[in-house]
Amino acid sequence: MKTRFYERTAYQLSDQPVPGCFVWLDEQFDRHFATYEEAFSHPCAIMAESLCARMADVEMYAFLIEDARKRHTVDPKAEEKAALLTRSFWVGYLGAGRALLDVGAAILAGLYNLALPVAAISFGSGDFWHQLVTVAPNVHRRYHPLRLFLAEFLRWCNESAHRIPPILVVEAQFGRYAPRDDRLRFFNDPDFTLAEMHRATIHAHWVDPLALHVRWKPQFLLLCEKLTVDLSKALEQPK
């Protein structure tokens, strides 16, 4: 029976299509599970819904950032509102992405019995990768090409305080009536901390957060595709 786990996520509330890897995984569940009780007590079904839910959250925050730019186009304070909402939703986006990566690491740790404390079950942990290559070298080989993306995203999470400039900083750089696009951008690779941000120059590297999402979304989906394959294989293993 199908569990339709993707219908218990934010995909149910949006027009975004459910990624094909999740639909495919539920087809595997349909072949494997005979009853609701069997499906809903299986670790793979629980892991699948958690993974899908976090991917849905990532897409939801990306939509909210884009929608904030459209919604306030005729508002007298449109640019200010869009700038405020973009910052708040980007913090949510980073949190959702971080949660997605944490779920991914937890799935691999659970499926392959990695002997790690909870704090080390993270793609940002060297101990995690060491355990994975030791216990399941072929699995490690499949995920290793994603490490550059994982490192970049986690760096953004860890450095968000130094990358998301207060509007005051933007106005100091570009003027009280800074162009809309300048208000919506963040520091791409800052050479300073939050405490030093007042010395940021106009030549700093800026980036539109939606451009980052466009670059990262295929990598998030590739991670999900790989994980759904592992979950499918684990169905035949004893719980």
Side-chain angles (χ1 to χ4, degrees), residues 89-142:
F89 292 149
W90 185 245
V91 171
Y93 179 94
L94 293 177
R98 181 83 179 239
L100 172 60
L101 299 191
D102 286 346
V103 168
I107 288 173
L108 293 177
L111 294 182
Y112 299 104
N113 299 311
L114 304 187
L116 292 167
V118 172
I121 301 176
S122 165
F123 287 128
S125 167
D127 290 341
F128 172 85
W129 290 104
H130 177 72
Q131 274 285 306
L132 187 61
V133 74
T134 301
V135 174
N138 290 334
V139 176
H140 177 276
R141 191 175 299 113
R142 290 175 48 235

Side-chain angles (χ1 to χ4, degrees), residues 94 97-98 101 149-157 216 220:
L94 293 177
R98 181 83 179 239
L101 299 191
F149 155 67
L150 297 171
E152 179 189 24
F153 183 82
L154 290 172
R155 185 181 175 196
W156 260 90
C157 293
W216 290 341
F220 279 129

Side-chain angles (χ1 to χ4, degrees), residues 61 64-66 68-69 79-93 164 180 183-186 208-210:
Y61 277 108
L64 290 173
I65 293 170
E66 186 173 11
R69 302 181 180 195
E79 294 178 357
E80 181 180 355
K81 289 183 178 180
L84 291 171
L85 290 172
T86 295
R87 282 157 172 76
S88 293
F89 292 149
W90 185 245
V91 171
Y93 179 94
I164 305 175
R180 178 186 179 88
R183 290 172 173 266
L184 301 179
R185 295 185 299 170
F186 303 150
D208 184 331
L210 283 180

Side-chain angles (χ1 to χ4, degrees), residues 33-102:
F33 299 130
T35 66
Y36 283 101
E37 292 75 17
E38 183 184 2
F40 295 159
S41 64
H42 198 287
C44 287
I46 296 170
M47 292 176 182
E49 183 172 325
S50 184
L51 180 67
C52 185
R54 300 294 76 78
M55 185 64 217
D57 292 343
V58 168
E59 297 210 62
M60 177 187 69
Y61 277 108
F63 167 81
L64 290 173
I65 293 170
E66 186 173 11
D67 185 64
R69 302 181 180 195
K70 300 175 181 177
R71 185 178 298 276
H72 301 291
T73 53
V74 297
D75 192 311
K77 295 186 176 181
E79 294 178 357
E80 181 180 355
K81 289 183 178 180
L84 291 171
L85 290 172
T86 295
R87 282 157 172 76
S88 293
F89 292 149
W90 185 245
V91 171
Y93 179 94
L94 293 177
R98 181 83 179 239
L100 172 60
L101 299 191
D102 286 346

Side-chain angles (χ1 to χ4, degrees), residues 152-203:
E152 179 189 24
F153 183 82
L154 290 172
R155 185 181 175 196
W156 260 90
C157 293
N158 295 334
E159 297 178 358
S160 62
H162 316 295
R163 290 176 177 264
I164 305 175
I167 295 175
L168 177 66
V169 173
V170 176
E171 292 179 351
Q173 292 296 308
F174 301 103
R176 177 67 178 82
Y177 301 100
R180 178 186 179 88
D181 288 349
D182 291 334
R183 290 172 173 266
L184 301 179
R185 295 185 299 170
F186 303 150
F187 293 120
N188 192 30
D189 192 16
D191 296 320
F192 39 78
T193 65
L194 176 63
E196 301 165 336
M197 202 175 285
H198 64 287
R199 297 200 295 268
T201 71
I202 200 169
H203 302 294

